[in-house]
Amino acid sequence: MKIEIRDATREDADLIADAILGAIGEDLTDSLAGEEHTREDVHKLFADLARRDDSQYSWLNSRIAVADTGEAAGVCVSYDGADLIELRKTFFEEATRQLGWEISEEEIASMKPETTEEEYYLDSLMTLPEYRGRGVARQLILDADKKAAIKNKPLGLLCDKTNTRARRLYESVGFKAVGKRPFAGHDMDHLQLRAIGK
């Protein structure tokens, strides 16, 4: 199967939101929703963030894998880690407005970011179910690594210790464990891939 990877557009916002919720999983989605909101509310939040230019989940930070049928086969959201602190302000503002979060600027500032300015960060990756096992995720990862190479940075990501399938994929591409990072109250494995051409 031939895959083409293209830049996302604002019209891809719902697909990008699907990818983000797929990456974070149902438990974290439910936690973000809280008792007052639904998974659909969380999906709307991320779709709204994907339509914006000033969000880490923006269409500007997303790439879409397209199958030879013309259908979307996968999504990757990635960005320069140096931009995260500024980009995530929008996430907290919108989560406060849409989901009723109560979080102070001091609490936000005290949160350890999931990435740093030293790396290019692969935030969310999803292959649509009907295209799994066909190399789509691998092509999206290598596409993100090309962007990392342009910035002369390693590509980094966080992987849940229990997600052995994803871990096998990342290691098969060349990712290595470089430490641990907290994310949403859990310790995650921090993996990095050296930028292509280094």
Side-chain angles (χ1 to χ4, degrees):
M1 178 181 70
K2 187 170 183 270
I3 291 290
E4 178 184 323
I5 299 177
R6 65 166 173 82
D7 290 331
T9 67
R10 281 194 176 89
E11 288 71 38
D12 295 309
D14 285 323
L15 182 61
I16 295 166
D18 291 343
I20 295 162
L21 295 191
I24 66 175
E26 291 181 355
D27 289 346
L28 185 50
T29 300
D30 291 341
S31 177
L32 293 175
E35 295 188 11
E36 308 265 325
H37 295 278
T38 65
R39 289 179 185 170
E40 289 75 25
D41 294 332
V42 178
H43 187 279
K44 180 185 180 305
L45 166 69
F46 283 110
D48 288 348
L49 290 168
R51 287 184 190 93
R52 294 180 63 143
D53 295 350
D54 60 348
S55 155
Q56 70 211 77
Y57 305 110
S58 172
W59 62 279
L60 293 169
N61 297 327
S62 303
R63 299 272 283 164
I64 310 296
V66 181
D68 45 19
T69 61
E71 297 176 324
V75 180
C76 182
V77 179
S78 63
Y79 45 83
D80 191 329
D83 299 331
L84 175 64
I85 299 301
E86 189 61 33
L87 290 174
R88 76 178 185 175
K89 288 178 182 175
T90 307
F91 167 75
F92 288 114
E93 287 168 4
E94 285 301 304
T96 298
R97 188 176 71 77
Q98 294 189 35
L99 302 179
W101 285 14
E102 294 181 13
I103 187 164
S104 69
E105 288 186 22
E106 293 78 21
E107 288 174 296
I108 294 169
S110 72
M111 290 180 188
K112 186 170 181 176
E114 55 264 38
T115 187
T116 66
E117 61 187 26
E118 287 84 31
E119 73 180 4
Y120 202 86
Y121 187 62
L122 195 162
D123 187 293
S124 302
L125 177 69
M126 177 191 74
T127 301
L128 274 72
E130 58 270 32
Y131 292 100
R132 289 185 183 147
R134 300 192 196 181
V136 174
R138 177 180 294 273
Q139 289 184 56
L140 284 165
I141 291 168
L142 294 175
D143 180 72
D145 194 46
K146 288 177 186 172
K147 294 187 339 189
I150 291 167
K151 295 282 189 173
N152 199 29
K153 295 182 178 187
L155 183 64
L157 58 82
L158 299 184
C159 184
D160 191 304
K161 300 173 198 298
T162 63
N163 194 344
T164 54
R165 186 170 183 221
R167 181 68 175 253
R168 278 195 304 272
L169 167 66
Y170 300 139
E171 288 176 346
S172 76
V173 175
F175 279 90
K176 306 275 187 223
V178 294
K180 301 199 181 308
R181 282 223 167 104
F183 178 75
H186 302 337
D187 266 348
M188 306 279 274
D189 289 331
H190 179 205
L191 310 178
Q192 281 187 342
L193 178 67
R194 292 292 127 204
I196 290 172
K198 284 194 135 189

